[in-house]
Amino acid sequence: MSNDEIIVGIDLGTTFSLVAYVDAAGPHIIRDENGDGRVPSVIGVTPGANGAPPQVTIGWTARAHAIENARATVYSVKRLIGKGLEDIRRDLPYLSYAVSAGPRDTVQIEIDGRRYTPEEISALILRALKERAERHLGRPVEKAVITVPAYFDDAQRQATRDAGRAAGLEVVRIVNEPTAAALAYGIGLHRPPPRARAAASPPGHTPLPIPSCPTADAGGVAAHAGQTVAVYDLGGGTFDISILRLEDGVFQVLSTAGDTHLGGDDFDRAIINLVTEEVHAQYGVSITAPATKQALRTLAEAVKIRLSEQTQAEIELDLGRDRVYRRTITRAEFEHRIAPLVEQTLTLCGQVLRDAQLTPADLEQAILVGGSTRMPLVRQRIAEFFGRPPYTALNPDEVVALGAAIQASILSGKQADMLLLDVTPLSLGIETMGGAMGKLIVRNTTIPCRATEKFTTFVDGQTAIKINVLQGERELAADCRSLGEFVLDGLPPMAAGMPKVEVEFLLDANGILNVSAKELRSGQQAGIQIIPSHGLTRAEVDRIARESIQFAQRDIDAHRRIDLRNQVEFDTHKTEQMLARVGHLLAPEERARIEQDIAALRKLAQETSDLDELHRALTAFGHGTLHLAEIGIREALVKGDKEE
Ligand code: ADP
Ligand code: MG
């Protein structure tokens, strides 16, 4: 295949579909003008006026009219593709459109007397994705990799291929969704052989032992041979759990399980049922009008999503005739209602592990896929079940499409361009006081690796600390790339310098970075998971490395200025506190002189560009406040004596 040929990756989902591609910076989801990559897998048909052919709407528009246009809106067609009427008996009660038997053990969808095959409906969705990709890339797109659930049989896979062809796409490969998810996290991708390990790890950065992951054989082929992962996929209407093992660079599906009627729709329904019951109890009415039903469905999903972010949400539904239903729902209340469903997924996880004759401890990773895995309860229960935090760095509703795009780039021979390294190409660290870059893992450290460092606060009574994770070689945070940030909050108020915050960077064998921050006195902790290599090209890595040399002197000065200013801030603040406490024990002239010194030093720190001068002034300030410090210490001791 020629090297500039584009093959897109498509996640053809039950509720949402996405298209992605790979360029030198890695895989990208192709988004709409609102930044959303998802296209609802929904088709709406409206009869054409005066015998004209029917009008077809696809995606958000079709979804928005799903309830008013119930008989002519096709959703969840993935449940029908490649199946016969007998296979889908269980699904029929959930479908509001007419389904009947088609030729050769297939089904057909009937709208306004016209019959559509599931392939035709899927082709409409695929065509919309193809067109989206063509608009974005500015050229024709003729080839695609399409993902399907691991349990799809040959008929379902063939029907998916046929749908692709009907959409004008050559389907170069059908890939299992869990495999795509693993690829998106870099699992199973060939990496160059590691360099000499000893030389690459600077002191203080302990390379982690890698149990059951040999550090690549002599030829450096499969660096992660034998890796076993679980892929937990909780989408809109279905739940799938798969256990994959990577053998000789190929993923084997060891076992799969799932529930084809368990997903986000059920969590929405929990809210819909709650509202329906309460509306009935309060107003004695049933919600039957299609417009109200649609409004409630949209509302329920929005409330559910809000409860993934916040601990409570408002529900407000206009029932007409001046009746408005209103209530607050807490996350705890919602979780109580859906907990049995979440437990059901874990039962299936237990089953799939038993089928593969494995225990959670045998797994290297658990990967989360599907929009519903954003729910905190789901994440918490999975972490408990698998005994480790799952992979969440990628957007769970985009991960399958990203993996499909990576598979596509491998097939088009472009994978060699991607940044897959056995060392971290750029340093990783956090933003420290005054906007400096505090490096924890320096560039060219062999992965996997781990680094920790302790930090404290500069302000009294600080109850939250923002941790900004940085990548780059420059000394100022502003000149580095921010990979993500999180807040460590809930700290008990303490004097500046008292909190002990331990920040840990853990970069695992797949290049996934876990950053955690823990305040050791209170035990509060928070963290984030990031893929540092995403969005980076080789050319960019080289540029960043060059610039770090070019700007070395300027950067060293800038860092020194920040350090000195921080020190000035800290010393003057401590001196002020000391004055407030024991200033009355000083001669009035001395006290006045120290106050002047504080003001003068702060002014100098803001104004001077001569760092040596600032350094001298800081030292002199220290000498000038020695007497005060002595009195302070003596007083503290005397006080301590009395208290004993
Ligand atoms: P598919 O079933 O097509 O694979 P997705 O993986 O995209 O679908 O999952 C869609 C589901 O994820 C929907 O039910 C949606 O409401 C749900 N979802 C998306 N974001 C969130 C969130 N932040 N919290 C809870 N559920 C979410
Ligand atoms: Mg999915």
Side-chain angles (χ1 to χ4, degrees):
M1 284 179 223
S2 86
N3 231 31
D4 55 1
E5 178 178 60
I6 189 95
I7 308 179
V8 294
I10 292 178
D11 170 7
L12 184 60
T14 310
T15 39
F16 290 108
S17 298
L18 298 91
V19 57
Y21 71 104
V22 169
D23 67 10
H28 305 275
I29 296 287
I30 304 179
R31 300 172 190 286
D32 63 16
E33 54 290 350
N34 304 318
D36 201 334
R38 301 168 308 161
V39 176
S41 308
V42 183
I43 303 294
V45 181
T46 44
N50 307 326
Q55 297 283 308
V56 173
T57 56
I58 303 170
W60 293 107
T61 320
R63 184 172 138 116
H65 298 288
I67 290 181
E68 306 132 55
N69 197 24
R71 306 272 308 155
T73 301
V74 186
Y75 51 88
S76 294
V77 73
K78 196 174 174 178
R79 295 183 187 280
L80 311 183
I81 200 159
K83 292 203 167 181
L85 198 58
E86 262 328 294
D87 308 324
I88 57 152
R89 283 255 175 256
R90 233 196 107 197
D91 294 287
L92 290 179
Y94 294 91
L95 306 176
S96 60
Y97 47 91
V99 178
S100 57
R104 290 180 311 280
D105 201 25
T106 60
V107 294
Q108 288 187 327
I109 296 145
E110 210 175 303
I111 299 171
D112 295 331
R114 191 183 177 308
R115 302 185 131 206
Y116 301 82
T117 64
E119 287 88 329
E120 280 176 300
I121 302 289
S122 295
L124 290 170
I125 300 163
L126 289 169
R127 188 173 285 281
L129 296 170
K130 171 177 145 80
E131 284 166 5
R132 169 179 287 205
E134 287 175 336
R135 269 196 308 279
H136 180 84
L137 296 165
R139 55 173 156 149
V141 169
E142 269 140 19
K143 296 185 174 187
V145 166
I146 302 180
T147 58
V148 297
Y151 60 76
F152 257 31
D153 64 18
D154 287 342
Q156 289 167 296
R157 285 166 200 260
Q158 188 53 46
T160 304
R161 277 183 186 281
D162 294 344
R165 186 160 330 113
L169 288 168
E170 181 194 332
V171 182
V172 292
R173 185 159 306 175
I174 294 281
V175 177
N176 288 330
E177 286 161 12
T179 300
L183 284 173
Y185 277 105
I187 300 171
L189 296 182
H190 169 88
R191 282 165 204 275
R195 301 179 204 168
R197 293 202 153 238
S201 297
H205 298 274
T206 0
L208 288 178
I210 357 172
S212 75
C213 288
T215 52
D217 54 43
V221 200
H224 310 285
Q227 198 167 351
T228 308
V229 297
V231 181
Y232 177 108
D233 181 348
L234 191 56
T238 58
F239 168 63
D240 296 305
I241 173 79
S242 316
I243 308 290
L244 304 181
R245 178 177 289 150
L246 186 63
E247 273 162 13
D248 299 327
V250 178
F251 284 101
Q252 309 289 344
V253 180
L254 296 188
S255 56
T256 65
D259 186 331
T260 52
H261 290 279
L262 203 180
D265 296 345
D266 298 285
F267 305 133
D268 298 349
R269 211 165 294 131
I271 296 173
I272 292 172
N273 291 347
L274 171 88
V275 174
T276 310
E277 283 158 26
E278 291 187 352
V279 163
H280 191 82
Q282 280 176 32
Y283 300 98
V285 295
S286 308
I287 297 172
T288 46
T292 315
K293 271 186 153 173
Q294 178 67 48
L296 178 53
R297 199 180 107 174
T298 309
L299 174 75
E301 189 183 20
V303 165
K304 170 187 78 175
I305 289 173
R306 215 166 306 139
L307 289 174
S308 291
E309 301 290 321
Q310 297 161 206
T311 51
Q312 62 177 57
E314 301 304 319
I315 308 182
E316 192 179 303
L317 186 67
D318 191 344
L319 300 168
R321 285 194 279 140
D322 287 338
R323 293 167 308 185
V324 179
Y325 165 85
R326 262 193 208 95
R327 71 110 90 194
T328 301
I329 182 166
T330 64
R331 184 189 286 169
E333 190 180 357
F334 174 60
E335 288 182 344
H336 178 73
R337 289 187 165 248
I338 61 159
L341 296 171
V342 176
E343 293 314 306
Q344 219 167 304
T345 68
L346 296 175
T347 307
L348 290 162
C349 290
Q351 183 191 314
V352 84
L353 281 173
R354 270 194 306 284
D355 290 349
Q357 297 183 316
L358 296 172
T359 66
D362 297 319
L363 298 173
E364 250 78 44
Q365 286 306 334
I367 295 175
L368 297 196
V369 179
S372 301
T373 62
R374 287 215 189 78
M375 296 197 302
L377 178 67
V378 170
R379 292 196 172 187
Q380 180 202 324
R381 293 295 294 124
I382 291 169
E384 284 162 8
F385 181 87
F386 289 105
R388 77 193 66 213
Y391 270 0
T392 55
L394 295 173
N395 191 332
D397 39 43
E398 298 181 349
V399 53
V400 168
L402 292 171
I406 290 173
Q407 180 64 261
S409 80
I410 294 171
L411 292 170
S412 58
K414 286 208 199 105
Q415 194 245 337
D417 297 346
M418 285 176 59
L419 218 47
L420 297 167
L421 302 167
D422 60 319
V423 296
T424 109
L426 295 171
S427 301
L428 298 166
I430 65 170
E431 179 172 349
T432 56
M433 184 67 192
M437 155 68 150
K439 289 176 186 165
L440 274 94
I441 295 176
V442 298
R443 71 187 295 246
N444 286 335
T445 302
T446 306
I447 63 170
C449 57
R450 171 178 180 267
T452 62
E453 206 163 314
K454 288 209 179 69
F455 296 88
T456 187
T457 53
F458 258 91
V459 180
D460 290 329
Q462 201 173 327
T463 56
I465 298 171
K466 191 170 86 184
I467 311 267
N468 182 10
V469 182
L470 301 173
Q471 177 180 52
E473 302 313 311
R474 304 287 301 278
E475 295 290 336
L476 294 188
D479 294 325
C480 292
R481 188 160 88 116
S482 174
L483 297 177
E485 53 183 44
F486 65 96
V487 175
L488 173 63
D489 54 11
L491 304 180
M494 286 184 252
M498 283 299 280
K500 281 194 186 355
V501 179
E502 185 171 86
V503 174
E504 181 188 63
F505 273 46
L506 209 148
L507 193 58
D508 75 11
N510 299 312
I512 314 292
L513 176 67
N514 267 291
V515 178
S516 60
K518 183 172 182 182
E519 202 287 303
L520 300 177
R521 292 177 194 275
S522 59
Q524 282 295 100
Q525 54 180 320
I528 193 172
Q529 201 181 73
I530 298 165
I531 306 182
S533 64
H534 268 199
L536 266 190
T537 62
R538 261 175 222 287
E540 207 169 338
V541 170
D542 293 344
R543 177 185 63 79
I544 292 168
R546 264 198 320 277
E547 282 184 1
S548 74
I549 299 167
Q550 186 186 341
F551 294 112
Q553 190 55 48
R554 192 195 299 181
D555 275 10
I556 290 168
D557 289 348
H559 202 140
R560 184 166 170 230
R561 179 176 303 119
I562 290 174
D563 287 348
L564 282 169
R565 282 184 180 168
N566 284 344
Q567 198 61 47
V568 165
E569 197 37 55
F570 191 77
D571 288 3
T572 52
H573 178 68
K574 285 286 160 200
T575 304
E576 274 174 343
Q577 285 184 324
M578 196 78 89
L579 275 181
R581 205 152 53 78
V582 295
H584 60 282
L585 300 172
L586 291 177
E589 318 69 81
E590 186 175 5
R591 182 175 187 157
R593 200 250 315 142
I594 291 177
E595 279 164 354
Q596 279 162 18
D597 285 355
I598 291 174
L601 184 62
R602 281 189 177 149
K603 188 160 182 283
L604 186 71
Q606 286 316 308
E607 289 171 0
T608 189
S609 56
D610 182 344
L611 299 180
D612 292 330
E613 181 192 12
L614 184 57
H615 186 108
R616 283 192 300 274
L618 190 62
T619 314
F621 179 79
H623 288 305
T625 53
L626 250 156
H627 181 227
L628 171 66
E630 278 165 15
I631 294 176
I633 291 167
R634 205 164 54 227
E635 280 303 296
L637 287 175
V638 170
K639 218 169 143 218
D641 281 348
K642 276 185 202 148
E643 274 165 11
E644 260 174 36

